Amino acid sequence: MRCVLLITHDLPLSSDHQELDDGPESDELIQLITQDGERTQGSVLQRWIQDVTDEQLGSLYEDMVVIRRIDTEATYLQRQGELALWPPLLGQEAAQIGSARSLRKDDFVFSSYRESGVAYCRGVDFEDLTRVWRGNSHSSWDPFVLNMATPQVIIGAQTLHATGYAMGIKNDGADSVAVTYFGDGATSQGDVNEAMVFASSFQLPVIFFCQNNHWAISEPVSLQASVPLSRRAPGFGIPSLRVDGNDVLAVMAATRSALDRARSGGGPTFIEAVTYRMGPHTTADDPHRYRNVDELAGWAAKDPIARLEKYLKSSGRFIDGFQRLVADKSDAVAHAMREACKNMLDPEPITVFDNVFSEPHAALTRQKEAYAHYLSTFAAAE
Amino acid sequence: MQSMTFGRAINAGLHKAMENDPKVILMGEDVGKLGGVFRITDGLQDHFGANRVVDTPLAEAGIMGSAVGLAYRGYRPVVEIQFDGFIYPAFDQIVCQVAKLHYRTQGRVHMPITIRVPFGGGIGSPEHHSESPEAYFTHTSGLRVVSPSTPQDAYVLIQQAIASNDPVLYFEPKRRYHVKREVDEAMELGALPMGSGRVVVPGSDVTLVTYGPLVPTAMDAAEAGAEDGISIEVIDLRSLAPIDYSLIEASVRKTGRLVVSHEASQTGGLGAEIATTITERCFEYLEAAPVRVTGFDIPYPPSKLESHHLPDLDRILDGVDLALGRRATLLGQKG
Ligand SMILES: Cc1ncc(C[n+]2csc(CCOP(=O)(O)OP(=O)(O)O)c2C)c(N)n1
């Protein structure tokens, strides 16, 4: 039930970065598939996806449908009391799948809390998608198995971690890339700006992947920046791209070009994927208080999945049977996740003391022993 | 008198302070239209406008540093930090700037900034949403730190904090936001000054000191103790910096026994400070060593386990037993 990674690492490396190094002379939103499902030509990014077949587009479609289904199921699980909270990604499927599927296994991801689609592409177990939100632990997977750090709640902190990781890659003479995901709100944080300084000063192989979903809880992106976010990076000496984040192909092209730059020693790139969070910020949020319905309707018309579906239908390669298969797979995945979540055992109380330090710590060991004894007095009383 | 939730009482206090002084400005993430993620500032932007209830960019250092500038300009900023765990990006501005400017400028510059922090656990939240960072701030001279435990106190303390010319950290026990009680809006602010604590349950056998979220638990302990024939005097500190030691001293001289309880971890926490100070001041009155009942020395655990970390009725009573010499060690706590 795992997605098949597209072969991206044997693409010819480019020595010509002109179109990027010029910086964002325009705030043009790069698009390769229009809202009506038509493929456009003539974009500077076109060459990065020449090899992508309709079959491969079908597989991107599949991932987007599956992750949307996962997202919906998790939202239900929260409503049913199985999860304490869930941060929906509805509307951001193309941004997450298009970028994550461009990565190589040895690239390393530092994300925030909303990137379940990225985790899915990295091969996460379904159980692990819900573990943290159920309140069972602070993290789910082994970062060194998925090559993805566990999600970050402190806004923007992960961008610096990516920068540091990239510093290590560069020192080691490797050609992998650190990729960091964050939101539009995060661009206001000091950490993110400091990360850009480091990335630029040391010309590090790192991609700043900003999903501009237009809202930071109740705050519109206009409160974080009065010009497009993609314009911020060039001030740090980092070239940037502004792509239609609901166009999976454009996102993939942008990510591939940035990966190529990083792998070939060209340093960092900032990608602003312009998309929209169609659901609430988290299941605890009430967007009706701050967001108008028309805005939502406008973005619903730009739905990333519907757009690709239109294209696949018109290209003639899209057969009804395929859609059925995708739906079945989504159901199976959602079911597996639900079962795994509901069957998850609560952690043992005494584990609160585990892993605070890597080496024995006398005072804490004493607290742990004392608490174990305390718990045993209750067990004895039962 | 009106019955109000804890959260509503803070809102009413903010409203009143803003009405009384046009220099009071509210700032923070989501405080405007949304009314804050806990709705504490609900309706204030509608009433006072977007220049006085300011939705800021998502940047805590930015919020706090701007508050410093506003204070230079004669404003009295009230800053909301969305959750306890998000105060750290602002830490440098608070401890290096907000706390020290009055001292550094030989008293020429005031920093009448109020920093509202929903704090503590018990609401089933993810990481960084349940912390008790108060000791970092009580350790820093130049800051006042308070924590209300009832709607009435929330209403009064927020106004006292805003009126103070010193910077005040106002720690709101978020798990008590929905507790509803009578609030006397006509209460004189001078009736119970900001630096003073309060005896909430009188008693004669043991003094139990706590604040904020644990005050109701301590009161339950007093009730349970009474059924067991133990008379527990409960003190609500209200002010964590400075601490009203004369109040605790008077109580310990009477009871001879001291238990301090807080959600924050034990090592270097307020319990240690209070136990030592009382030992210094009342050594000859103490019948037993002071006892701490606190959170463990661990990062705040995942929500399925938080009930083990947070002191509850049983653990507090266990501490009371130890102070009374009813058992030799404090189960689950001695570290
Ligand atoms: C340092 C910090 N401050 C505040 C928060 C509370 N908070 C969580 S998510 C969020 C909005 C984030 O918006 P954005 O960066 O645009 O990402 P999105 O959630 O929209 O993906 C806020 C304010 C936090 N987690 N960390």
Side-chain angles (χ1 to χ4, degrees), chain A residues 92 112-115 153-155 182-187 189 211 213 215-217 277 281, chain B residues 29-30 58 60 82-83 86 89 129:
Chain A
Q92 301 180 220
S112 91
Y113 42 80
R114 204 185 294 285
E115 279 76 45
V153 170
I154 299 297
I155 298 298
F182 51 97
D184 41 300
T187 60
Q189 288 285 354
Q211 288 178 83
N213 69 7
W215 291 93
I217 309 188
R277 185 197 85 211
H281 168 73
Chain B
E29 294 157 11
D30 302 295
L58 211 175
E60 287 76 10
Q82 199 159 76
F83 276 92
F86 309 148
H129 289 74

Side-chain angles (χ1 to χ4, degrees), chain A residues 84 135-136 138 347-349 352 371, chain B residues 120-127 129-131 174-175 263 294-296 298-312 315:
Chain A
N136 277 44
H138 285 326
E348 287 295 324
V352 294
Y371 194 59
Chain B
I123 64 163
S125 274
E127 240 189 333
H129 289 74
S130 303
E131 312 205 344
K174 65 171 94 80
R175 67 165 138 152
E263 288 188 14
T294 67
F296 298 122
I298 59 173
Y300 198 86
S303 59
K304 289 259 176 182
L305 294 173
E306 64 182 341
S307 63
H308 291 280
H309 174 67
L310 298 171
D312 60 5
R315 271 173 63 198

Side-chain angles (χ1 to χ4, degrees), chain B residues 114-125:
Chain B
T114 301
I115 305 168
R116 293 183 37 240
V117 191
F119 88 122
I123 64 163
S125 274

